[in-house]
Amino acid sequence: MNQEPATPCPSPVTDYLDGIHKEYSGLSEGRVATYIPELAKANPNWFGICLATAGGAVYEVGDSRQPFTIQSISKPFVYGLALEDLGRPAVLEKVGVEPTGDAFNSISLDPGTGRPRNPMINAGAIATAGLIQGKSPVIRLKRVLESMGLYAGRELGLDEGVYRSESETGHRNRAIGHMLRNFDILTEDPIPVVEQYFQQCSISVTCRDLGVMAATLANGGLNPVTGRQAIRGEYVESVLSVMGSCGMYDYAGEWIYKIGMPAKSGVAGGVIAVLPGQLGIGVFSPPLDSRGNSVRGIAVCNELSRHLDLHLFNNPSLPKAALRLKSTGAELNSSRVRTPRESQALREFGAEIIIYQLQGNLTFATCEPVIRDVMESVGSLGYLVLDFKRALSINESACRMLYQLLWRITQLGKSVLFVHAEHLALLRRVMKAKLGAQYNELYRVFDDDDLAFEWCENRLLHSVLPGWDAESSASHRDYDLFDGLTADEIAQVVPLLKRRIYQRQETIIRVGEEAAELYFVARGNVSVILTLSSGVSKRLATFSAGMAFGEMAVIDRAPRSAMIVADSDVECDLLSLEDFERLSEAHPRIKIKLLENLGLGLTRKLRKANRQLSVFE
Amino acid sequence: MNQEPATPCPSPVTDYLDGIHKEYSGLSEGRVATYIPELAKANPNWFGICLATAGGAVYEVGDSRQPFTIQSISKPFVYGLALEDLGRPAVLEKVGVEPTGDAFNSISLDPGTGRPRNPMINAGAIATAGLIQGKSPVIRLKRVLESMGLYAGRELGLDEGVYRSESETGHRNRAIGHMLRNFDILTEDPIPVVEQYFQQCSISVTCRDLGVMAATLANGGLNPVTGRQAIRGEYVESVLSVMGSCGMYDYAGEWIYKIGMPAKSGVAGGVIAVLPGQLGIGVFSPPLDSRGNSVRGIAVCNELSRHLDLHLFNNPSLPKAALRLKSTGAELNSSRVRTPRESQALREFGAEIIIYQLQGNLTFATCEPVIRDVMESVGSLGYLVLDFKRALSINESACRMLYQLLWRITQLGKSVLFVHAEHLALLRRVMKAKLGAQYNELYRVFDDDDLAFEWCENRLLHSVLPGWDAESSASHRDYDLFDGLTADEIAQVVPLLKRRIYQRQETIIRVGEEAAELYFVARGNVSVILTLSSGVSKRLATFSAGMAFGEMAVIDRAPRSAMIVADSDVECDLLSLEDFERLSEAHPRIKIKLLENLGLGLTRKLRKANRQLSVFE
């Protein structure tokens, strides 16, 4: 049997499970099942525990790789396959979902229709087995094995010895099969269906398998270890519902009350328990109590539930769960470098731009506080930026609420921007369906938060600064670095400048180049672009006419650390490092002024960076 | 009746509920209950919906303020009060928790013990009423009213007309009372207990009350509107468990299967449903179906569950839920300004410092991915910083796992720092209990992440830089700003410097002062402190011997924007702005060198700030 590669140091979680395992090894009550002779051969000391998380971590201790037969734990998984085959209404017609308060082998058919009360009692499980689609018994068994293999993350097979033993002694279940045929719940010869039921019960699994199978249910049907879907997500809630209300037979109410997780046990000594969204537990220990549940299995589930606070109804509340960060354009700006006049306007009016960074799984409950917060700020809002970069998933109801929010906000004449939403295909689909012809106009998406901020800022500057234009040109006396120089002094520097023309998207500076010039933007905009190790490009800054760039590498003599690209057709004036150096001797006053202005620009950038840092902290 | 202040613009959530209300107003099936004559007077058109979140938002539409009697919806709340009065074991002795699959008025007593099967059927509710403590019937009723008032967030009273009507016609319930007395489940005269039961059913509530009551259960027993605790949190899971398994009588299995929320209905037309951790729903509409449940109540809960994805077993998974940000000391540094040699060492070895920012509700499931990640990095780890600033809550199991993590990491000779954990009293208690005598030594807490980072950095620098000391002194030629000046040039500047001595904690610069000097640290450390609008002090930077400070305000001539304080006994050299200005004329070469060094310092700070910003983005 393959072992996982050993971790360099055991996890505190494994430590904890080891402690539980040691503690309950001493619990020697219960008796190994004997009604199927083959099961009586089990070693009563076998004892494994596996805890697998919805994030794909698997912790296992004890005899977690010892094979045994799944028995009744197969019932919820086969029920799920029946739901996928026929859909909920057709399955509900044949098998109910009401708990009976009766024991596992009670027949519990509805007196009128013969419909078994639920799929967790044998009668209901046999009726469910009869719903599995496939032309022949061989194909049906194959489909059941494949389905369970997806949950376990490995190929599963039958324990033929146990199967023969089940089949030889399964008279009561054959009787149930015939009763179901009598009521037309089974519509064909019941004997092959009952055999198929014996086979599904004889599938050989390990405790580790059970943990991963349970975690797959906890993870919406997606096996978190293999990343493969074992059952369509929409049916998981139904499988867990019948486990929750009927999984532990006449112990179901007390189980939910005390342990609080949908669960299922099998007479070979297996138990699974599922905490939706969080984790799955598998326990294996053959000795059973009088109800047919593994004694240690129940004890360990109880201990884990109590110690790890796993009770379904003991959830901490979720206020602000989706809201990672709220900020405004007065604090958080795009990386476009602004003139003092622009910066002043953004500080004054930037609060109209409100930015929400959303995170985690977006549902009605996690999004509602964000929507409420938006509506409370709606008076002062002009531009709403919703950044989904850290949203892990979104469900239909969250999409619908965001649509309603978008609609209301745009009706008020304000703009809504959706940023980094490309991984949320459902959001796009819902918006398309709801907005129809207005989709392109109203569903405004940006794949970069920085560009979204700049879009809002530019709109805002247009509206508050008369004559402001996003693209402009500057004459020499408008150059920031020349502030405070006399016309004569400027005239002494200008001959040192070399004019260069770049086309839109042309690269002006490459990473790694030696810093040999200081650049002045005479016309157009240029951007500093960093290529991250992930290959993603990130804009660090954008400069417009009148600004200088490339000064940091000139000052600290480091090679160029980022690429600089022309955003538009651009004209630049270049001052070579040598000429800049030589000014110290030839025109020290000019040099001093230039250095002072460089210091001023750096100071402004540093103040802006510090302001942004304080938002994040 | 008081109305909430009108919001300036209706919320998208209210819009949505309005749509549901309109849609189901047309549903006219069902009949108003008549078996209690007073109830027959209800207007069948009354229809209210209230959705209240665990975060305290209350959305209501329709007749949400119309009073009616609570009826059987009182049962789970009184059950909760009995649990608080007597504890779980004593209550379980008198009333079971198994669903019966029977109708609401079935007697369903255990044939041997006479114990009612569960507290949601009348027999169980009457037995529960008999458990409420209090010397007299008046006191017991008062306690029930007070308890329910805490859930509703307002004082509640009886509808006397309905109570009289219930009492006059309640023969079946009196029979149940005598049966319970027969079995010694009730140990006193059953008649006053049955009267108390009639009274609890006659409490007058509104649909809004029901929504808030349900939200209180969703929020762990804490009323999210008033902030007052209605029931001890530990009993909420038990109340929700009996609602989940038995709340809808013989419809319970199907309800959980379809709607998937613990719920309870009353014959006056009320329904509550609870999605733990998220929200509560109250619906009011008098016409009932054949099982005694409000027709519109069920339809609306079904619609909300389906549309808002509220099914209990349909949770998205929680991977990385608690991990807000992971970073290392190679990317994220304390605000202590470092020399180039120190910076180089931190870039090289800083990865040994690993920082986790945790967020949200810390439970086993949300913390496990963090613990796993730590264990995977444990080889390269030297210092583990856990920042709890954004953790909303922590439960016992998360505390226990963090203790085990702390223990394992410190046993490996590494350091663990807990930052901003002051609001997590449980964590402190668990650590104290588990660590015992080693608590003070091992549970290393910092109330500021920045100071925690600096502690790690200083330790690291001690270990990798021979002779390094956290507090030092510098001679004039060690001053960063004098780099590149000849000994002669330094000798020309030194007479301009004025030595000042400050004592530990003395203020060196105050906010708002005019920037009149540039400072050089000759000995000790100084910190830049910003007082936030919240009144909290935040360290922006710390400078050590040889560094200059106060230069930004000197450059941009802004008033001092932060306070500067001596961290130790400090000596500084001050260069007045006038003398600095005058250097341009007298010693332009010196001035140029000083300005170049200033630019270099600013460039380094800006590069560091940009590096930190990229961590946050």
Side-chain angles (χ1 to χ4, degrees):
Chain A
M1 194 160 297
N2 283 326
Q3 291 288 329
E4 300 289 316
T7 46
C9 172
S11 156
V13 180
T14 310
D15 288 348
Y16 169 73
L17 291 180
D18 264 330
I20 300 275
H21 187 271
K22 226 168 260 141
E23 188 178 345
Y24 287 93
S25 290
L27 182 62
S28 57
E29 283 158 43
R31 301 180 65 178
V32 173
T34 54
Y35 75 99
I36 303 167
E38 194 71 14
L39 291 183
K41 298 179 185 167
N43 179 346
N45 295 325
W46 282 335
F47 183 22
I49 306 175
C50 174
L51 188 158
T53 72
V58 182
Y59 303 96
E60 45 184 322
V61 298
D63 304 310
S64 60
R65 307 287 179 125
Q66 168 64 43
F68 58 96
T69 53
I70 192 166
Q71 298 296 338
S72 291
I73 303 173
S74 63
K75 292 170 178 175
F77 298 100
V78 175
Y79 183 70
L81 184 58
L83 289 172
E84 288 198 302
D85 277 0
L86 298 177
R88 247 181 296 255
V91 172
L92 282 173
E93 211 172 274
K94 296 286 188 181
V95 190
V97 292
E98 287 302 326
T100 61
D102 296 329
F104 73 100
N105 58 1
S106 74
I107 301 192
S108 298
L109 308 185
D110 182 283
T113 62
R115 189 176 76 144
R117 290 292 295 266
N118 70 63
M120 298 294 103
I121 52 173
N122 288 1
I126 294 168
T128 305
L131 298 175
I132 300 307
Q133 301 295 292
K135 278 187 184 151
S136 68
V138 173
I139 291 175
R140 291 195 286 271
L141 174 63
K142 190 165 167 278
R143 292 192 62 233
V144 168
L145 280 168
E146 280 172 358
S147 163
M148 299 242 220
L150 284 170
Y151 283 99
R154 70 181 185 99
E155 204 173 304
L156 297 178
L158 294 196
D159 180 324
E160 293 289 344
V162 172
Y163 164 53
R164 271 193 307 277
S165 193
E166 299 245 16
S167 179
E168 280 159 19
T169 56
H171 311 303
R172 187 184 175 92
N173 286 327
R174 284 196 188 86
I176 291 173
H178 285 291
M179 283 298 287
L180 293 171
R181 181 67 192 86
N182 171 60
F183 280 110
D184 275 336
I185 294 293
L186 293 178
T187 52
E188 294 172 50
D189 179 3
I191 294 306
V193 175
V194 176
E195 286 302 314
Q196 179 192 324
Y197 171 71
F198 292 145
Q199 289 168 326
Q200 83 178 48
C201 290
S202 305
I203 293 174
S204 178
V205 293
T206 65
C207 178
R208 180 194 158 93
D209 291 333
L210 292 188
V212 175
M213 292 171 87
T216 299
L217 287 175
N219 194 38
L222 183 84
N223 183 316
V225 178
T226 64
R228 294 184 66 190
Q229 198 76 33
I231 174 175
R232 272 164 42 209
E234 61 186 300
Y235 292 120
V236 170
E237 62 174 57
S238 300
V239 172
L240 292 175
S241 291
V242 293
M243 287 169 67
S245 60
C246 328
M248 301 305 272
Y249 316 116
D250 46 339
Y251 189 57
E254 205 170 327
W255 177 276
I256 280 292
Y257 191 87
K258 287 191 176 158
I259 293 169
M261 286 183 270
K264 192 75 203 78
S265 65
V267 288
V271 177
I272 62 167
V274 178
L275 187 56
Q278 305 195 23
L279 53 84
I281 296 169
V283 189
F284 168 55
S285 164
L288 309 180
D289 65 16
S290 61
R291 288 180 172 108
N293 295 320
S294 165
V295 172
R296 288 180 185 157
I298 288 192
V300 167
C301 287
N302 188 39
E303 181 77 13
L304 289 174
S305 169
R306 216 159 42 82
H307 260 210
L308 302 184
D309 282 303
L310 303 181
H311 198 291
L312 194 59
F313 295 140
N314 192 10
N315 300 30
S317 76
L318 292 174
K320 304 220 167 171
L323 180 54
R324 182 174 199 268
L325 186 79
K326 179 189 177 182
S327 182
T328 77
E331 307 151 312
L332 200 64
N333 292 124
S334 75
S335 53
R336 171 134 179 196
V337 179
R338 299 296 182 181
T339 65
R341 178 177 170 238
E342 291 166 347
S343 297
Q344 172 58 29
L346 290 177
R347 268 200 300 280
E348 197 169 335
F349 300 103
E352 288 184 29
I353 305 170
I354 306 186
I355 299 134
Y356 292 87
Q357 278 187 9
L358 306 183
Q359 69 185 0
N361 299 298
L362 305 184
T363 64
F364 171 75
T366 60
C367 283
E368 179 276 338
V370 177
I371 291 173
R372 179 156 43 119
D373 199 272
V374 172
M375 295 315 293
E376 281 167 5
S377 324
V378 80
S380 58
L381 178 77
Y383 306 86
L384 172 64
V385 181
L386 298 171
D387 182 352
F388 294 89
K389 191 178 188 175
R390 286 188 175 76
L392 296 171
S393 72
I394 193 165
N395 74 3
E396 189 115 12
S397 64
C399 293
R400 223 176 285 120
M401 284 297 138
L402 289 173
Y403 156 73
Q404 296 220 346
L405 181 70
L406 165 65
W407 185 252
R408 217 173 235 300
I409 299 289
T410 51
Q411 290 303 101
L412 294 170
K414 298 150 194 278
S415 300
V416 185
L417 282 69
F418 293 78
V419 184
H420 290 302
E422 56 279 2
H423 60 302
L424 305 174
L426 184 63
L427 180 65
R428 197 164 53 240
R429 280 206 302 278
V430 168
M431 289 292 179
K432 209 161 218 159
K434 297 245 173 202
L435 290 170
Q438 291 184 279
Y439 173 74
N440 286 321
E441 175 196 347
L442 293 186
Y443 186 57
R444 207 183 289 282
V445 288
F446 282 81
D447 56 7
D448 187 299
D449 52 352
D450 192 32
L451 295 174
F453 295 169
E454 187 190 343
W455 186 92
C456 296
E457 289 168 2
N458 286 351
R459 288 256 171 153
L460 188 65
L461 291 173
H462 261 297
S463 69
V464 300
L465 295 181
W468 185 85
D469 195 356
E471 251 182 56
S472 57
S473 56
S475 61
H476 291 136
R477 66 185 147 76
D478 298 327
Y479 287 3
D480 293 345
L481 285 194
F482 293 172
D483 258 14
L485 292 188
T486 64
D488 281 354
E489 286 170 334
I490 292 176
Q492 307 217 273
V493 181
V494 166
L496 305 176
L497 300 178
K498 289 192 186 65
R499 179 64 57 112
R500 288 266 180 83
I501 293 174
Y502 303 92
Q503 287 181 327
R504 198 172 121 76
Q505 298 195 330
E506 194 176 336
T507 300
I508 301 173
I509 288 178
R510 287 185 175 71
V511 174
E513 283 177 356
E514 205 186 325
E517 286 112 355
L518 196 59
Y519 290 71
F520 299 81
V521 183
R523 186 169 65 84
N525 298 331
V526 304
S527 282
V528 187
I529 309 283
L530 195 66
T531 304
L532 304 177
S533 53
S534 61
V536 173
S537 291
K538 194 181 142 39
R539 178 172 77 153
L540 294 186
T542 293
F543 302 100
S544 53
M547 296 176 181
F549 64 89
E551 82 285 20
M552 281 168 69
V554 164
I555 289 172
D556 66 4
R557 303 291 164 91
R560 298 295 186 185
S561 58
M563 177 170 72
I564 295 188
V565 176
D567 290 343
S568 57
D569 288 345
V570 163
E571 291 179 43
C572 288
D573 283 331
L574 278 61
L575 176 63
S576 77
L577 201 49
E578 287 161 21
D579 286 336
F580 184 61
E581 291 281 317
R582 267 200 290 269
L583 281 175
S584 301
E585 303 302 325
H587 303 286
R589 215 200 84 85
I590 294 178
K591 178 67 179 273
I592 287 170
K593 208 71 215 166
L594 289 178
L595 285 171
E596 283 176 349
N597 287 332
L598 274 175
L600 189 61
L602 289 168
T603 298
R604 284 189 185 131
K605 285 175 189 169
L606 189 54
R607 287 201 196 274
K608 177 179 167 185
N610 285 338
R611 210 163 48 238
Q612 307 225 21
L613 272 173
S614 76
V615 169
F616 289 115
E617 286 177 359
Chain B
M1 194 161 294
N2 284 326
Q3 291 288 325
E4 302 289 316
T7 46
C9 172
S11 156
V13 180
T14 311
D15 289 348
Y16 169 73
L17 291 180
D18 264 329
I20 301 275
H21 188 270
K22 226 168 257 141
E23 188 178 345
Y24 288 93
S25 290
L27 182 63
S28 57
E29 283 158 41
R31 301 180 66 178
V32 172
T34 54
Y35 75 98
I36 303 167
E38 194 71 15
L39 291 183
K41 298 179 183 166
N43 179 344
N45 295 324
W46 282 335
F47 184 21
I49 305 175
C50 174
L51 188 158
T53 72
V58 182
Y59 302 96
E60 46 182 323
V61 299
D63 304 311
S64 60
R65 307 287 178 124
Q66 169 64 43
F68 58 96
T69 53
I70 191 166
Q71 298 296 338
S72 290
I73 304 173
S74 63
K75 291 170 179 175
F77 298 100
V78 174
Y79 183 70
L81 185 58
L83 289 172
E84 289 197 301
D85 276 0
L86 297 177
R88 250 182 293 257
V91 171
L92 282 173
E93 211 172 276
K94 296 288 188 178
V95 189
V97 292
E98 288 301 326
T100 62
D102 298 326
F104 73 100
N105 57 359
S106 73
I107 301 190
S108 296
L109 308 185
D110 181 284
T113 62
R115 189 176 76 144
R117 290 294 293 267
N118 70 63
M120 299 293 102
I121 52 173
N122 288 1
I126 293 168
T128 305
L131 298 176
I132 301 306
Q133 300 296 290
K135 277 188 184 151
S136 69
V138 174
I139 290 175
R140 291 194 287 271
L141 174 63
K142 190 164 167 278
R143 291 192 64 234
V144 168
L145 279 168
E146 279 171 358
S147 164
M148 300 240 219
L150 284 170
Y151 282 99
R154 69 180 185 99
E155 204 174 306
L156 298 177
L158 295 196
D159 180 325
E160 293 288 345
V162 172
Y163 165 52
R164 272 193 306 275
S165 194
E166 298 244 17
S167 180
E168 279 159 18
T169 58
H171 312 302
R172 188 182 173 91
N173 286 328
R174 284 196 187 86
I176 291 172
H178 285 292
M179 284 298 287
L180 293 171
R181 182 67 192 84
N182 173 59
F183 281 108
D184 277 335
I185 295 293
L186 292 180
T187 52
E188 295 173 49
D189 179 3
I191 294 306
V193 175
V194 176
E195 285 304 312
Q196 180 192 324
Y197 172 69
F198 293 145
Q199 288 168 327
Q200 83 178 49
C201 290
S202 305
I203 293 174
S204 179
V205 293
T206 66
C207 178
R208 179 194 160 93
D209 290 334
L210 292 187
V212 175
M213 292 171 88
T216 299
L217 287 174
N219 193 39
L222 183 83
N223 183 316
V225 178
T226 65
R228 294 183 67 189
Q229 198 77 34
I231 174 175
R232 278 178 20 221
E234 62 185 301
Y235 292 120
V236 169
E237 62 175 57
S238 300
V239 172
L240 292 174
S241 292
V242 293
M243 287 170 66
S245 60
C246 327
M248 302 304 273
Y249 314 117
D250 45 340
Y251 188 58
E254 205 171 328
W255 176 277
I256 280 293
Y257 191 87
K258 288 191 174 158
I259 293 171
M261 286 183 270
K264 193 73 204 77
S265 66
V267 288
V271 178
I272 61 169
V274 178
L275 187 57
Q278 305 195 22
L279 53 83
I281 296 169
V283 190
F284 168 54
S285 163
L288 308 181
D289 66 15
S290 62
R291 288 182 173 106
N293 295 322
S294 166
V295 172
R296 288 180 185 157
I298 287 190
V300 167
C301 286
N302 189 37
E303 180 77 15
L304 290 175
S305 170
R306 217 161 40 83
H307 260 210
L308 302 185
D309 282 303
L310 304 181
H311 198 291
L312 193 58
F313 295 140
N314 192 11
N315 299 30
S317 75
L318 292 174
K320 305 219 168 172
L323 181 53
R324 182 172 199 268
L325 186 79
K326 177 189 178 181
S327 181
T328 77
E331 308 151 312
L332 201 64
N333 292 124
S334 75
S335 53
R336 170 132 179 198
V337 179
R338 299 296 181 180
T339 65
R341 177 176 172 239
E342 291 166 346
S343 298
Q344 173 58 28
L346 290 178
R347 269 199 299 279
E348 197 169 333
F349 300 102
E352 289 184 29
I353 305 171
I354 306 187
I355 299 134
Y356 292 87
Q357 279 187 8
L358 307 182
Q359 68 187 359
N361 299 299
L362 306 183
T363 65
F364 171 75
T366 60
C367 284
E368 179 275 338
V370 177
I371 290 172
R372 178 156 43 120
D373 200 273
V374 173
M375 294 315 293
E376 281 166 6
S377 322
V378 81
S380 57
L381 178 76
Y383 305 85
L384 172 63
V385 182
L386 298 170
D387 182 353
F388 295 88
K389 192 179 187 173
R390 285 187 177 76
L392 297 172
S393 71
I394 193 163
N395 74 3
E396 189 115 10
S397 63
C399 292
R400 223 176 285 119
M401 284 297 138
L402 289 173
Y403 155 73
Q404 297 219 342
L405 182 70
L406 165 66
W407 185 251
R408 217 172 234 301
I409 300 288
T410 51
Q411 289 305 98
L412 295 168
K414 298 148 192 278
S415 301
V416 185
L417 281 68
F418 293 79
V419 184
H420 289 302
E422 56 278 3
H423 59 304
L424 305 174
L426 185 62
L427 181 63
R428 197 165 52 241
R429 278 207 302 278
V430 168
M431 290 292 179
K432 209 162 218 159
K434 297 245 174 204
L435 291 170
Q438 290 184 280
Y439 173 75
N440 286 321
E441 175 196 347
L442 293 186
Y443 186 58
R444 207 183 290 282
V445 288
F446 281 80
D447 55 8
D448 187 299
D449 50 352
D450 192 32
L451 295 175
F453 295 168
E454 188 189 343
W455 186 91
C456 297
E457 289 168 2
N458 286 351
R459 287 255 171 154
L460 189 64
L461 291 173
H462 261 297
S463 69
V464 299
L465 296 181
W468 184 85
D469 194 355
E471 252 181 57
S472 57
S473 55
S475 62
H476 291 137
R477 65 185 149 75
D478 297 328
Y479 287 4
D480 294 346
L481 284 194
F482 292 173
D483 258 14
L485 292 187
T486 63
D488 281 355
E489 286 170 334
I490 292 176
Q492 305 215 274
V493 181
V494 166
L496 305 176
L497 301 177
K498 287 189 188 66
R499 179 61 60 108
R500 287 268 179 83
I501 294 173
Y502 302 93
Q503 288 182 325
R504 197 171 123 76
Q505 298 198 329
E506 195 176 337
T507 300
I508 300 173
I509 288 179
R510 288 185 174 70
V511 173
E513 281 178 357
E514 205 185 325
E517 285 112 356
L518 197 59
Y519 290 72
F520 299 80
V521 183
R523 185 169 66 84
N525 298 332
V526 305
S527 283
V528 188
I529 309 283
L530 195 66
T531 304
L532 304 175
S533 52
S534 62
V536 174
S537 291
K538 195 182 140 39
R539 179 173 77 153
L540 294 185
T542 293
F543 302 100
S544 52
M547 295 176 180
F549 63 90
E551 82 284 21
M552 283 168 70
V554 164
I555 289 171
D556 67 3
R557 303 292 163 91
R560 299 294 187 186
S561 58
M563 177 169 73
I564 295 187
V565 176
D567 291 342
S568 56
D569 287 345
V570 163
E571 290 179 44
C572 287
D573 282 330
L574 278 61
L575 176 63
S576 78
L577 199 50
E578 286 159 23
D579 286 336
F580 184 61
E581 289 284 316
R582 267 201 289 269
L583 281 174
S584 302
E585 304 303 325
H587 304 286
R589 216 198 84 85
I590 294 177
K591 179 68 180 272
I592 288 169
K593 209 69 215 167
L594 289 178
L595 284 171
E596 283 176 349
N597 286 332
L598 274 175
L600 189 61
L602 289 168
T603 297
R604 285 191 183 130
K605 285 176 190 169
L606 189 54
R607 287 200 196 276
K608 176 179 168 185
N610 286 338
R611 210 163 49 238
Q612 308 227 20
L613 271 173
S614 76
V615 169
F616 290 116
E617 285 176 0

